[in-house]
Amino acid sequence: MEQMIVKAGHQLKGRVQVDGAKNAVLPILAATLLASEGQSLIKNAPLFSDVYLMTKLLNYLNANSEIDEDHNEITVDASGKVTTDAPFEYVSKMRASVVVMGPLLARFGHVKVAMPGGCAIGARPIDLHIKGFEALGATVTTTSGYVEAKADKLVGTDIFLDFPSVGATQNILMAATLAEGTTTIENVAREPEIVDLANFLNKMGAKIQGAGTDIIKVKGVDKLTGVEHMVIPDRIEAGTFMVAAAVVGGDVIIEDAISEHNQPLISKLKEMGVQVEERPEAVRIVSDGKLKAVNVKTMPYPGFPTDMQAQFTIAQIMAEGSSVMEETVFENRFMHLEEMRRMNANFNISGDTATITGPSQLQGASVQATDLRAAAALIISGLVADGITRVSKLEYLDRGYHHFDKKLRQLGAKVGRREAGNLSNEDLSEWLDSI
Ligand code: UD1
């Protein structure tokens, strides 16, 4: 089994390029199912394992999809005889596959999917998705681990979400594109990935207004057509490199990072004493690695993203003083901190709040990734720990980072991926110096 082998080294210096956004490309790929005519061409598609899984699901459904790895492009042709059953095999591996529900229900009046799985970061029900479909006129039943929705036709209506769920907003938005009449969805998620999805749908022929605000209006149309679209850059990957540079210290330019999408993170980094330069198509981080303690609370966009929580706690662990991290979006997202105990991190967790006293003198250890962002956080912590850190369960990392080790090495970090077997820390340290 491959592990990420990490040790502290020089400061990080240079340029790094972020990929397309995972959380934008997945719903956009699902949206290609809405096109009864033409082919869709998705550009700037990141080569993450979740993206491969989504294309496999599309192929299973008879929407022919192909990834061009040399150009980061995906073509999808859903104009043929698409099926409407998404089996356990796919959905259990990736919660995001539940967003095929809205498009399939809208276009074919039927969908059946296994109850979703995904990262183990909380209960993550889909009650809001289901309520939305029912409000549009569908009958939804859940039996033996499957959710099935049926409708002769969907009819536009007013929907108020109890919570601005990202997935529910996407699913209901897509279902409403082909409904009869107008749908108004209130208290929707405002994430940049929702705006990207709405832009894609509008190019396909949908009539959506208000994406990026908390009320979205959708005027139903008769049909949608395949189109070309360029996915926005991944703000979480960009944010991960911002935190890595802040913690390790150095001077890093993160190309294609859209600073507007990362304002809460940028303002917290500045509060910690990090220099952040916001450029039109990049963000530059200059840090001496000496950080001041700050308090953070995760919130739906435009608040501090839960997907940056794990990485940011490493900055808090390395900061001078007492910091608080409050996780309000998912109820079980401090699992990486429990792993960090083995690395000598000093913190207390009570309910949804971690109180962190820093700076800790981190010690390299063998740790396991517990979800996608935890994987990145543990690797960053290895870059400032004494000795060698081995991070396993890299399948989590691969869900949302491509060539993470290569990109860090490009910045001068001592990190590499391999089977470590019985190799001693001395052997691994030498190997890191040689790659
Ligand atoms: C999406 C992102 C994920 C991110 C999350 C929050 C994708 C592929 N994934 O996940 O990276 O961490 O947004 O920013 O875009 N909830 C309910 N009922 C529902 C739906 C959600 O109670 O029907 C709860 C969830 O349990 C969770 C919270 O709402 O506590 C947020 O979930 P949601 O915004 O739906 O996240 P996802 O779409 O799953």
Side-chain angles (χ1 to χ4, degrees), residues 308-318 323-327 332-357 360 362 367-371 373-375 377-378 381:
M308 281 306 303
Q309 182 258 103
Q311 305 90 309
F312 198 81
T313 55
I314 310 306
Q316 292 176 308
I317 285 168
M318 298 311 292
S323 309
V324 172
M325 174 59 82
E326 202 181 331
E327 171 58 64
N332 192 20
R333 216 173 184 181
F334 286 141
M335 290 176 298
H336 66 286
L337 284 178
E338 296 302 341
E339 288 293 303
M340 293 289 302
R341 282 195 203 283
R342 283 202 221 136
M343 295 181 72
N344 206 29
N346 192 359
F347 61 88
N348 277 305
I349 297 174
S350 169
D352 64 2
T353 303
T355 306
I356 297 168
T357 312
S360 292
L362 295 181
V367 287
Q368 276 195 359
T370 48
D371 74 42
R373 305 303 166 187
L378 293 171
S381 66

Side-chain angles (χ1 to χ4, degrees), residues 79 131 167 173 207 368 417 425:
S79 60
K131 274 191 205 163
L173 168 64
K207 293 203 158 39
Q368 276 195 359
R417 184 172 176 149
N425 282 350

